[in-house]
Each structure stands twice: as C-alpha cells, then as structure tokens.
C-alpha cells in the first residue's frame, strides 16, 4: 500500500499542476490513511493471532482429553481392552525378541452380578473403581512402570508383568488377592 501511495503522489502532482497546498493536503491524507491501515491491520492481526493461539491451546487440551478417553476405561482409569491388547502385543513381541519372561494375570470377580443385583449398580461401580485403584497402586508400588494394569471386560481385569517369571507373578497375584479381600 505504501508503494502505491508513493506512485500516486507524482501522478497527482502532474494532474493537479502546481498547487502546493492541495498537494500537501492530499499527501497528508494519504499518509494518514496508510498509517491508519497499518495500525488497524496490526491490531486485527494481533487479535486474530491471540485468539488462534488460545483456541489452539484449548484444541490441544481437548484432543489430549479425547485421546485419553479413547485409551482408558472411564470408570476405573485403567487401560481399556483395546489399549491393553495393543500393549500386550507390544510386550509379547519384545519378550520374543529378547527372549525375556512375560507374565499376565487375569482377574475375574466371582459373583459380581450378585453385588449389582443386591446392592445396585452404583455399588458395583464402586467395587470396580476400588479394583482399578488397587491394580494401579500395585503397578506403581512395585516401582515397575512397565507393569500394565487394564480392564479387560465387565468384571475382568488384567495385569501385564514384563520381565516377570511365574514365581514373581504368583507373588504379585497373592498381593493383589489379599488387597481385594
């Protein structure tokens, strides 16, 4: 826009002849319009970028939330079946590649339907949440971030134990069983 204004001034000078006052007035108007467009353009651009920045942050946060919900069971916070299967396959391949032990605990709650029928579904949900907390605690207390707890189905849970031989898995299973009583 500035280069257009600079080209416009000589053309106006030729068209108007030598009328310095009019030329000065028109020049001031053109410079003021250019300055105004620069200032307004900057403000609009700044506001749009600021809005896009915060919208982008919000979008990123929402995307992370959706990704979390897609991988985790909403009730227990454990990995859901799909994500647990992915992790199981990954650990199984690693176990085969390095010829290392891999153990898997399958946990099924006996008579869970009776809990729901007798005490209601909210009590059953509380039981499932408690199991999720216990399995998360077991995975974190064993100081092995590689252990993977997951909800496999309704009242079925899993605990994947990489680098764990059967005797170690048996000890973990006994600890979990004691905590579940």
């Amino acid at each position: 826009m500035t280069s257009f204004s600079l080209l416009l001034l000589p053309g106006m000078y030729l068209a108007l002849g030598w009328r310095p006052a009019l030329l000065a007035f028109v020049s001031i108007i053109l410079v003021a319009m250019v300055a105004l467009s620069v200032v307004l353009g900057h403000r609009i651009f700044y506001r749009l970028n600021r809005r896009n920045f915060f919208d982008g942050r919000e979008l990123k946060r929402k995307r992370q939330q959706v990704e979390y919900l897609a991988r985790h069971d909403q009730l227990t916070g454990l990995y859901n079946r799909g994500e647990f299967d992915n992790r199981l396959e990954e650990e199984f391949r690693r176990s085969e590649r390095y010829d290392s032990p891999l153990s898997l605990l399958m946990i099924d709650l006996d008579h869970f339907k009776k809990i729901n029928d007798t005490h209601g579904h909210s009590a059953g949900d509380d039981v499932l949440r408690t199991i999720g907390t216990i399995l998360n605690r077991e995975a974190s207390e064993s100081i092995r971030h590689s252990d993977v707890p997951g909800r496999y189905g309704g009242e079925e849970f899993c605990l994947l134990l990489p680098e764990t031989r059967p005797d170690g898995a048996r000890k973990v299973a006994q600890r979990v069983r004691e905590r579940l009583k």
Side-chain angles (χ1 to χ4, degrees):
M1 184 141 194
T2 307
S3 61
F4 176 73
S5 300
L6 293 176
L7 292 174
L8 190 62
L9 286 176
M12 288 177 42
Y13 175 73
L14 293 173
L16 296 174
W18 180 250
R19 296 187 189 140
L22 185 59
L23 183 61
F25 176 74
V26 170
S27 298
I28 289 171
I29 296 292
L30 283 172
V31 169
M33 287 174 58
V34 168
L36 184 64
S37 67
V38 168
V39 169
L40 287 177
H42 176 71
R43 288 185 64 101
I44 291 169
F45 184 72
Y46 174 77
R47 285 186 179 169
L48 286 174
N49 278 340
R50 182 178 166 86
R51 186 179 314 140
N52 286 342
F53 174 75
F54 287 111
D55 287 350
R57 258 195 203 170
E58 180 69 14
L59 183 61
K60 182 178 180 181
R61 190 181 67 74
K62 292 284 187 188
R63 186 178 305 129
Q64 288 171 340
Q65 186 178 14
V66 167
E67 288 172 1
Y68 178 86
L69 292 173
R71 292 188 323 259
H72 291 82
D73 177 62
Q74 287 181 322
L75 189 61
T76 62
L78 300 174
Y79 283 130
N80 62 22
R81 169 90 181 254
E83 184 63 20
F84 186 83
D85 286 346
N86 290 341
R87 297 292 304 271
L88 176 62
E89 185 178 335
E90 186 179 299
E91 290 299 332
F92 186 75
R93 286 182 184 161
R94 183 177 294 125
S95 174
E96 282 184 326
R97 183 178 335 127
Y98 297 112
D99 195 31
S100 60
L102 175 66
S103 296
L104 173 67
L105 300 181
M106 297 292 292
I107 302 161
D108 184 54
L109 303 180
D110 293 335
H111 312 293
F112 182 73
K113 184 176 179 338
K114 187 176 179 181
I115 294 171
N116 276 340
D117 292 345
T118 306
H119 303 288
H121 288 278
S122 65
D125 288 350
D126 289 341
V127 169
L128 295 174
R129 274 190 213 93
T130 302
I131 303 263
T133 301
I134 289 170
L135 290 177
N136 266 327
R137 191 177 306 138
E138 181 60 38
S140 64
E141 283 180 4
S142 64
I143 311 175
R144 292 171 27 127
H145 299 289
S146 59
D147 293 350
V148 181
R151 184 171 179 195
Y152 205 67
E155 73 274 1
E156 297 167 330
F157 295 86
C158 301
L159 188 56
L160 184 60
L161 305 166
E163 300 292 332
T164 305
R165 298 194 183 287
D167 57 329
R170 205 171 296 111
K171 289 177 186 175
V172 172
Q174 288 170 348
R175 274 198 315 261
V176 170
R177 187 169 187 236
E178 287 301 313
R179 289 183 180 174
L180 291 177
K181 283 187 176 183

